[in-house]
Amino acid sequence: MVVLRIRNAHKRKYAFICFSIVAFIMYRYLGMPAGGRRMSRKVGLSANSSQFTLEGEPFRILGGSIHYFRVHRAYWRDRLTKMKACGINTLTTYVPWSLHQPERGVFNFHTQLDLEAYINLAADMGLWVIVRPGPYVSSELDLGGLPSWLLRDVNMRLRTTYPGFTQAVNTFFDKLIPKLVPLQFKKGGPIIAVQVENEYGSFAKDDSYMLFIKEALQSRGISELLLTSDIHNTLKSGGVDGAVRTVKLQKLNQRDIRDLNAFQPNGPNMVMDFWTGWYDVWGDLHHVLPPEDTVSTVREILRRGMSINLYMFHGGSSFGFISGALSDPSYKALVPSYDYDAPLSEAGEYTPKYHLLRDLFSRYSGGESFPDMPALHYREAYEPAIMYQHLSLWEALSFTEGPFKSPTPVSMENLPVNNGNGQSYGYTLYETTITSGGFLKSEDNVRDRALVFLDRNYIGLFKRQHVELAVPDGKGRRTLSLLVENCGRVHQGRDLDKQHKGIVGDILLNNIPLRDFTIYSLDMTPSFIDSLYQAQWKTLPQNPSFPGFFMGRLFAYGYPCDTFLKLPGWEKGVVFINGLNLGRYWSIGPQQALYLPGPFLNSGINQVIVFEEQEGDYKVQFEDTPDLGMAAEIQ
């Protein structure tokens, strides 16, 4: 960039006029903010004709979804730059309530969750923004992005005008919406539209609910265009007066367009979620959508003059325990990778879809040339981290919050932990005393999976398909332990209110309910993992006990690079890098490697802790290529 010193008033005036003309052209004709410049505008995105207009001029939304909470903050600019270079003009993002308000009265909009910084970055890069603040977002998040502490209310009815829910929504919106209001288009910001809730048509338990959410947004100062988004056959029950209906789909057919036109015959059509791929669940295959199928559908959508948002443009990763689950037809938990077979891979790599879409969008750019594609980040296959220390689960219990005594089992959400907000994620250990053997029955009250121990020796597994277990006979009083994992609350469906985890009812021994439990909360938070450094770790023995924590070191000399963490020979557990929860691993796949962004690492020594449930190989490998498992085309 060349900077000239303007030495006299005439030249300064001339320069100001030139800059004003350039800025006007940028936002009027190229459909883009002028470098994040804040200027008041009178007319925002409008849907009063067969196509959208922005400031009175025709405008087609070429959108892409990238979630700030699924991308390390250090990589926000890289991912958005690659989006801009593909020809996208609008960024869309969900806002996960569960992450921004982990406890009642506790809000987090900092560092990784700094939504305002993310939106401002998009503006600086010349992208418009559509915000999707929920409160329910789905997005394959645990409980669809709703905070689990809502379930402490025994009468809770999520996504309705039940007072306990609306009061909580109002409290959250009181914090969230004022952050968005000054970033709206008419106030000089990049936000051109806001979505009202998400996919309410497939839930639709309360006719008053969508109006409540709409008014909750507008009464707090949201004045830009409102949208709703549903699949075609639920458009009627998911809409609300005053909001433009949009559709979600993966294959385009006449029925989708007909249903949309029936509700707004004179309005613009938009595919708010064109699914570029799909998510993966444990025990299944990695889902892919062929690039040719993707691009042919996008081409047809554009040919029809419609606007589009690619969901996802870049999926990223569901770090930690935030992944959701499916319940229909049977319970299946999601993997940590949110690669989604998107145009940009989980690690920000260009894919064939990216190149084909870039070529397609270039034909709709009005002659505008796209920015150059940024160079890719270097990836490293580091030397394996050899596990050299061990801490059994039982030795780690003294670092948990508790224990708590209860005559009957208590669900995770109702435990008296985290300032009375219950436990959101992780594991819970339930222990009681028994005096005989026999048959143990869970009656589907274990959510979702439990390792069972007798005097802390493993005797079997409870999961949803296996609800009965033999307990060996023995003399005297013995300790029965159940280590229960929340594998993920479902992210969609009509049973959101019933997503309590842990032990949610009676466990029977010889048809008699077990009583008098001692309960430990193992939510595996960063503070808990950090506290383990004070424990008396032992040199890794020949035959370590399971479950247990295993510690090793990764050496990353120089500037740390992206890598992929693999655990061949390990069975199931969680990996922590420098105290941060990278996510679950499970030998059943499909995902075989966890993406580890370079910014997670320090130059030099990095602590690697693995919590393994049943079997370990005692070293962790690092490779420079992803492994999401055997692929299968989406049908």
Side-chain angles (χ1 to χ4, degrees), residues 104-330:
R104 286 187 184 273
V106 175
F107 298 91
N108 183 0
F109 288 93
H110 306 294
T111 58
Q112 187 62 45
L113 295 173
D114 191 339
L115 176 59
E116 291 165 286
Y118 186 63
I119 294 173
N120 278 316
L121 175 62
D124 290 342
M125 301 182 67
L127 290 164
W128 301 117
V129 177
I130 296 175
V131 181
R132 310 168 84 175
Y136 165 85
V137 297
S138 181
S139 191
E140 287 69 63
L141 292 171
D142 182 285
L143 204 60
L146 299 174
S148 64
W149 47 258
L150 291 167
L151 299 176
R152 290 174 69 87
D153 181 344
V154 295
N155 299 311
M156 177 55 66
R157 289 186 289 124
L158 301 174
R159 303 180 75 191
T160 71
T161 51
Y162 169 69
F165 185 69
T166 57
Q167 289 165 13
V169 170
N170 282 326
T171 300
F172 175 53
F173 276 9
D174 282 345
K175 290 289 185 180
L176 169 65
I177 304 306
K179 297 178 183 297
L180 302 178
V181 167
L183 298 173
Q184 295 180 101
F185 180 86
K186 290 193 285 286
K187 294 184 181 293
I191 297 176
I192 57 173
V194 175
Q195 184 175 300
V196 184
E197 236 262 357
N198 188 48
E199 299 177 3
Y200 196 70
S202 58
F203 191 79
K205 289 187 175 182
D206 186 334
D207 292 340
S208 305
Y209 176 70
M210 287 294 282
L211 181 60
F212 158 71
I213 297 297
K214 175 193 166 187
E215 291 177 347
L217 295 169
Q218 292 181 328
S219 66
R220 289 168 174 83
I222 295 297
S223 59
E224 300 300 337
L225 185 71
L226 297 179
L227 309 169
T228 60
S229 185
D230 292 278
I231 57 175
H232 75 95
N233 59 352
T234 64
L235 281 166
K236 181 179 181 180
S237 47
V240 62
D241 289 344
V244 175
R245 288 174 166 88
T246 67
V247 71
K248 300 177 178 230
L249 53 82
Q250 191 162 64
K251 301 290 172 76
L252 189 66
N253 59 55
Q254 201 58 43
R255 176 191 59 190
D256 300 321
I257 308 305
R258 186 180 65 244
D259 290 350
L260 196 55
N261 283 332
F263 289 108
Q264 43 200 38
N266 300 314
N269 286 338
M270 179 172 181
V271 179
M272 188 61 195
D273 283 352
F274 169 69
W275 297 311
T276 59
W278 206 242
Y279 52 82
D280 294 338
V281 297
W282 289 116
D284 207 337
L285 298 172
H286 169 49
H287 294 99
V288 298
L289 185 66
E292 299 78 13
D293 292 5
T294 301
V295 176
S296 65
T297 305
V298 175
R299 183 184 295 113
E300 180 61 17
I301 290 170
L302 297 181
R303 190 190 68 79
R304 291 169 177 261
M306 302 170 70
S307 285
I308 189 173
N309 176 59
L310 304 177
Y311 187 97
M312 299 291 295
F313 183 81
H314 167 59
S317 309
S318 298
F319 296 115
F321 293 130
I322 66 172
S323 289
L326 295 172
S327 60
D328 186 22
S330 61

Side-chain angles (χ1 to χ4, degrees), residues 436-441 469 471 473 507-514:
S436 69
F439 279 100
L440 198 64
K441 294 181 181 178
L469 187 67
V471 177
D473 288 327
I507 304 294
L508 309 178
L509 179 60
N510 301 326
N511 294 318
I512 300 173
L514 295 174

Side-chain angles (χ1 to χ4, degrees), residues 316-447:
S317 309
S318 298
F319 296 115
F321 293 130
I322 66 172
S323 289
L326 295 172
S327 60
D328 186 22
S330 61
Y331 178 86
K332 289 185 177 180
L334 271 63
V335 305
S337 170
Y338 204 62
D339 177 86
Y340 216 85
D341 197 35
L344 269 188
S345 75
E346 180 178 15
E349 304 282 311
Y350 302 115
T351 69
K353 280 181 190 172
Y354 181 98
H355 296 292
L356 289 171
L357 287 166
R358 189 172 194 258
D359 178 64
L360 176 62
F361 290 149
S362 69
R363 303 172 204 174
Y364 291 86
S365 67
E368 176 199 354
S369 60
F370 295 166
D372 292 337
M373 292 163 53
L376 297 176
H377 291 287
Y378 182 73
R379 298 183 304 195
E380 183 68 75
Y382 290 108
E383 290 296 314
I386 307 300
M387 302 292 108
Y388 66 98
Q389 286 189 300
H390 173 257
L391 184 71
S392 75
L393 169 69
W394 320 111
E395 293 168 322
L397 293 179
S398 60
F399 295 91
T400 63
E401 187 177 348
F404 310 98
K405 305 286 187 179
S406 174
T408 57
V410 179
S411 73
M412 243 186 206
E413 296 78 8
N414 288 308
L415 289 173
V417 297
N418 299 319
N419 302 312
N421 289 277
Q423 181 181 340
S424 293
Y425 310 114
Y427 298 78
T428 310
L429 180 70
Y430 298 81
E431 293 196 326
T432 187
T433 300
I434 61 172
T435 56
S436 69
F439 279 100
L440 198 64
K441 294 181 181 178
S442 70
E443 300 290 320
D444 194 34
N445 287 326
V446 168
R447 307 287 172 83

